[in-house]
Amino acid sequence: DYVLQHTNRDYTGTPQADSTLTLKQAPEPLLPNYGAGHVHQHNLDIATMVLLNSRERTMEEFIDIAGKADLRFVKVWHTGEMAVLEFHPA
């Protein structure tokens, strides 16, 4: 599970529960956490490029590959940072 932390600006001036960790907020219009909620996905993309000399496939590429295996695309399941593509036999 991934929990997006520090994505809302605190305009109340009250100390946060985790005030021992003083994180500097990003300036607007950026997210206060500099978009760190998607850091896992970006790190995975970079690791794929660097370690495997490859890249992430697009949804159209997955559907094309599945079609060659006699599978048809059914649905995208959004699971937070990642997604699951559902295929059924054609």
Side-chain angles (χ1 to χ4, degrees), residues 9-58:
R9 296 188 185 279
D10 181 17
Y11 292 110
T12 62
T14 57
Q16 298 294 320
D18 59 346
S19 61
T20 57
L21 276 173
T22 54
L23 300 174
K24 184 179 177 187
Q25 288 188 354
E28 290 182 347
L30 299 174
L31 289 175
N33 67 352
Y34 289 92
H38 296 284
V39 71
H40 179 72
Q41 183 178 357
H42 296 301
N43 286 343
L44 185 60
D45 289 345
I46 291 172
T48 302
M49 288 188 313
V50 171
L51 299 174
L52 304 174
N53 194 25
S54 187
R55 65 175 177 82
E56 184 178 2
R57 287 192 172 110
T58 65

